[in-house]
Each structure stands twice: as structure tokens, then as C-alpha cells.
Amino acid sequence: MAPRRDSAGGGGEAVTGAGASRRGSGGTSPARERADRYWCEWALLDAGAGPAAEPGVLVEVSGGLITSVARGTRPPDGAERLRGLTVAGFADAHSHAFHRALRGRTGEDGGSFWTWRERMYEVAGRLDPDSYHRLARGVYAEMALAGITCVGEFHYLHHAPAGTPYSDPNAMGRALIAAAAEAGIRITLLDTCYLAGGLGTDGAYAPLEGIQVRFGDGGAEAWAERAAALRAAGAHARVGAAAHSVRAVPPADLARIARTAREAGWAAAHIHLSEQPAENAACLAAHGCTPAQLLDRTGFLAALRPTLVHATHLTSDDAALVRGTGAGVCLCPTTERDLADGLPELDRLAGAPLSLGSDGHSTVDMFEEARSAEAHERLRTGRRGTLPAHRLLEAVHTGGHAALGWAAAGDPPAGRIAPGARADLVSLAVDGVRMAGFDPRRAADALVWAATAADVRHVMAGGRWIVRDGVHALIPDAAARLDAAIREVAP
């Protein structure tokens, strides 16, 4: 049922902030002077503040920002009523958009991460800027339908199939930025340095081969030069730096990236780390240390305090190193499960900044990512409650936005419903079978342990509604377009 405007008396105490009158940066619609008003039946304002939802919350929005929040109100005249539970928009901190073409196509024949990778390379070989734009637009629309308002795209598919740069060397990256704009979400394009085809136990780095040549720039300096020329088109986009992994970037180049990224002031820095036992074994044999220790030796950890994606096979010393440097960890549980990567020892990472990503898009559902992180830890340890619901929600709210560089000093906050924050709202139905029995006193638990992306009804990003009644407002035929884009490039 569509939201309706009700005319009942208002009340409650309004909360305003110094940033309430500021115009949003990173919104997806022009700033407007008048405020729009939304009355939420229930709202979880800040997952970190506690598990309970507030009743009767009146939210005013102007210029892409939340200008005031009033609790305990009745729906006033002119306010749009949002039934169910309203939360802040989600951040998906790790995405490879082109991997979406493999969903449902790679799981029947056994194998491992390494055999799956060959199928992934097939898709990578078929993409050009136009087809990548079509595919990514569909993927980002699917994200919007799931309540995701900001994505971190780990981007290494840079060049033409023979490794030759396009006339615009950043054509593929610009295609992703444009796709996010058309889907109505923000993006941090994590431009990724990828220089080698693998690491041998003798310390030799293999040259890029086959489709891998599309990923490489020839050296860290050439990567930095190309990436520096990439200017985000529009306030919805930021550019960050990434190194693919210690398998794909030699130590000297990791050190160069650390220096370059620190001096350039990139929005964020990410790297895949210890996803597979084979990576750890090769690094130990070649360099006499673990991948985490190699990042420390090269200055990558201390200089950038990066987000470490997966961190599945860390030693206890690695985990202590991560915690000590302030580096964050991005878990991608549904992909790690799909690829049989293994189970990280999350109790070792207590206190490290946490974010979550959908990675290879075996599903696009941040509720499932949050649920799986704790469920996997329960299976590993035989103990419940290592990651409580509020911390998991923080990972997809404030933690995810921070990992993607949307929480810098002077930025409007993202990931909570508060005066001055970005106007990202996700409205969920609580009257369906999954959320039946919803207890607003335990709203965080209900979101993590009961909700799915299918419960999302309406999504606002930067003050503009991009999903209404479960339909993408900008791409109403999103499913058909995504289907066509996948069939164009799928193996």
C-alpha cells in the first residue's frame, strides 16, 4: 500500500542541529528551500544508541539533509505517513558489480575459489564501457531496492581486452559512476592497483596473463597517474584507492601506493587480505611474514589505516596488528560462504572498525550479510552473541559509510536519522510473515534476525525517493534491464 498523507494533530519535541540548514553534499537531487515532512510509525534512529525503535517520529528534510527530528508525535497535517519501521540507508562497502553476472551459474560443478575465478575472468573479458554501464546500473538498482544508498565499488577492470587503454583511460570507471547516478545511489569508486598475476613461493611475481592484462597499469606510478585523472562526476561520487592484494601488488609498489594515497588525500583505501589460505602460505614462503605483516612492513597499514576486505585467515598476531593500527575490516559473509573461503575468527577482531559488503553478489541483502556474520561465528565457536545486533547494524550504517570516506570532518553524517545527517531513509513493512511479531523494543534484533531485502518498501537517498512501494522510481523496469545486461555478458 502506498504511503499516504494523514491529517491528524501534531506534537512532540523537535530536535534541530547546527548542521540542519546546510545543503547536502552527495545528495541526488537539487537542494530545496521548503522542508518535506515524514511521520514514521516507528524509527530506529541510531543503531549504536540501543536496540529500541522510537514511536511517532517526525522527520523533516530539506536540501538533501534531515533538518529536524521530533519523537513521540502524532502525524501532523501535511506530513507523509511511513508505516512500519524506518531506518537509515545502508552502505555496501565492497562490490564487484560485474560478478553479479555469475549468480546461479557457478555452483553446480564443485571446485574452489580458484576455479570460480576462471568463470569470473570470462565475464571480465566480455565487458566494454557500454555493457559495463548497463550491467552496473542494474546491479545498483537492485541495491537501491534492498535499501542500499551508498556503495563501495572495488574497481580493477580498467582497460580494453588486450590491455590497451581506452581513449579515455578511465572510461570503465566513469561508466560505474554514471550507473550509480542513474540508480540514485552514492558511490565510492575504489580505483584498484593490480600489477601481477600471482605470487610464487620463491618470491617471484607472475606477469599478468590473459584477461588479467585488462587490470594492469604497468606499475604503481602509472596507476596513480591514471587514477589521479579520474574526477568524480557529480556530488554523488568519491574516488578512493585500493591495492588488489599482496598477491597482485609487490611490496615496493604497496609502499608507493601508501605514499601516493596519503599525499593525494584519497577518500578511502581498501585491500583484499588473507582471503585464502594459499595467499598466506605464498606470502610466508616468499617474504617470511603473513600478508598483514607485509602491509605493516611496507607502511600501508600505518599510513592509510585501510579497510581490509575479508581478513578471513588472520593469525592472532595479525589481528592484534590490525586492532593496533586502527585498520578496519569489511566482511562479505555471503560471498565468503559461496566461495568456500572459510570462517574468520571474529572474536579476535573485537574493537576493529567493521563494515559489510555484498562482494560477488550471490545475494544483495545487507540484512543477510549482517545475519550471516554472526551466524557463521556461532557455527565456528558454538557460542552465541559475539556480534550483537546493534554492532552489525552499525557496520551497515555508520561503519560502512566511514569505510567509504563519507564521514570526513565537515561531512554531513550518514547512517543515522539525526538533524544535519544525510536524508537517507529506508522504510520496511513489519506486517508481513517474516516480521510478524515485531517488537519495537527489540527492533535491532528484528532487523538482523528476521528482515530481508524483500521487506523494503520505500528508499530515500539524499532527500529523493528512489524506491516507492518496492518499485525503483528511476528504473521501474530494473529487473528486465538487469536480466538483459547479464545475458549480454554471462558465460
Side-chain angles (χ1 to χ4, degrees):
M1 182 174 67
R4 62 179 185 276
R5 298 185 181 274
D6 290 353
S7 55
E13 181 180 356
V15 180
T16 59
S21 63
R22 294 175 53 193
R23 296 192 175 193
S25 62
T28 54
S29 62
R32 292 174 294 173
E33 293 302 324
R34 75 175 179 84
D36 292 322
R37 308 172 83 199
Y38 305 97
W39 185 85
C40 308
E41 184 177 17
W42 297 98
L44 184 63
L45 303 178
D46 185 348
E54 299 272 359
V57 175
L58 181 65
V59 179
E60 293 193 353
V61 172
S62 180
L65 298 180
I66 295 170
T67 56
S68 71
V69 177
R71 302 171 176 85
T73 71
R74 293 175 57 82
D77 291 344
E80 181 173 339
R81 178 178 290 192
L82 299 178
R83 293 285 191 180
L85 176 62
T86 300
V87 300
F90 306 134
D92 183 340
H94 189 71
S95 163
H96 298 288
F98 74 93
H99 293 187
R100 174 61 179 86
L102 294 172
R103 184 189 295 175
R105 295 173 179 266
T106 64
E108 296 80 13
D109 302 322
S112 66
F113 166 87
W114 306 101
T115 54
W116 168 88
R117 191 176 70 162
E118 295 306 313
R119 302 294 301 279
M120 179 265 285
Y121 284 166
E122 292 181 48
V123 176
R126 299 176 182 184
L127 289 164
D128 59 30
D130 291 334
S131 59
Y132 203 8
H133 171 262
R134 290 189 288 271
L135 178 58
R137 179 179 56 192
V139 174
Y140 298 154
E142 182 180 7
M143 289 182 180
L145 290 162
I148 295 164
T149 54
C150 186
V151 62
E153 184 63 37
F154 198 98
H155 169 56
Y156 54 81
L157 185 50
H158 299 305
H159 304 300
T164 305
Y166 290 103
S167 57
D168 173 2
N170 287 303
M172 297 292 266
R174 295 190 203 282
L176 294 165
I177 291 171
E182 292 176 31
I185 69 174
R186 294 189 299 278
I187 184 171
T188 297
L189 188 76
L190 296 157
D191 197 285
T192 303
C193 185
Y194 197 131
L195 302 177
L199 172 61
T201 56
D202 59 355
Y205 281 82
L208 297 173
E209 295 183 324
I211 296 304
Q212 291 177 333
V213 299
R214 300 194 70 175
F215 310 157
D217 288 296
E221 290 87 353
W223 162 80
E225 182 178 353
R226 180 191 51 73
L230 178 61
R231 294 294 179 262
H236 77 292
R238 292 183 177 177
V239 179
H244 181 271
S245 62
V246 300
R247 292 181 286 107
V249 183
D253 293 294
L254 287 171
R256 291 188 189 98
I257 292 169
R259 291 193 299 271
T260 299
R262 181 178 55 199
E263 293 165 1
W266 296 93
H270 288 220
I271 186 170
H272 293 132
L273 188 76
S274 290
E275 182 178 4
Q276 289 288 322
E279 176 183 311
N280 281 17
C283 193
L284 279 167
H287 301 299
C289 63
T290 66
Q293 290 165 344
L294 186 62
L295 294 188
D296 186 47
R297 289 182 185 179
T298 59
F300 198 94
L301 277 182
L304 303 181
R305 293 197 297 176
T307 296
L308 309 173
V309 182
H310 304 303
T312 308
H313 300 284
L314 300 185
T315 68
S316 58
D317 288 343
D318 289 341
L321 184 61
V322 170
R323 295 194 309 270
T325 58
V329 172
C330 179
L331 305 174
C332 306
T334 63
T335 295
E336 290 151 8
R337 181 170 68 212
D338 180 49
L339 299 182
D341 283 346
L343 297 175
E345 298 190 36
L346 298 185
D347 48 359
R348 293 176 169 177
L349 292 168
L354 184 65
S355 55
L356 293 168
S358 61
D359 193 0
H361 310 305
S362 55
T363 187
V364 174
D365 187 333
M366 300 313 292
F367 303 106
E368 177 62 22
E369 300 297 343
R371 181 161 48 246
S372 295
E374 166 64 10
H376 291 177
E377 185 71 352
R378 292 181 181 187
L379 288 172
R380 187 186 68 82
T381 65
R383 184 180 67 248
R384 306 176 83 220
T386 297
L387 293 172
H390 75 273
R391 188 178 182 215
L392 291 163
L393 291 179
E394 284 182 313
V396 298
H397 283 141
T398 54
H401 286 97
L404 296 179
W406 293 90
D411 271 350
R416 62 180 185 268
I417 301 173
R422 298 180 188 277
D424 300 340
L425 302 177
V426 177
S427 179
L428 295 101
V430 299
D431 55 359
V433 291
R434 286 174 295 276
M435 295 285 278
F438 168 70
D439 181 353
R441 296 170 300 179
R442 303 297 301 271
D445 285 328
L447 288 167
V448 171
W449 294 105
T452 75
D455 296 305
V456 171
R457 290 293 174 265
H458 317 292
V459 179
M460 174 186 288
R464 178 172 66 166
W465 290 111
I466 58 172
V467 173
R468 284 293 211 177
D469 296 305
V471 176
H472 201 291
L474 309 177
I475 312 173
D477 57 345
R481 290 198 190 192
L482 180 56
D483 181 78
I486 290 171
R487 293 183 186 282
E488 183 180 359
V489 300

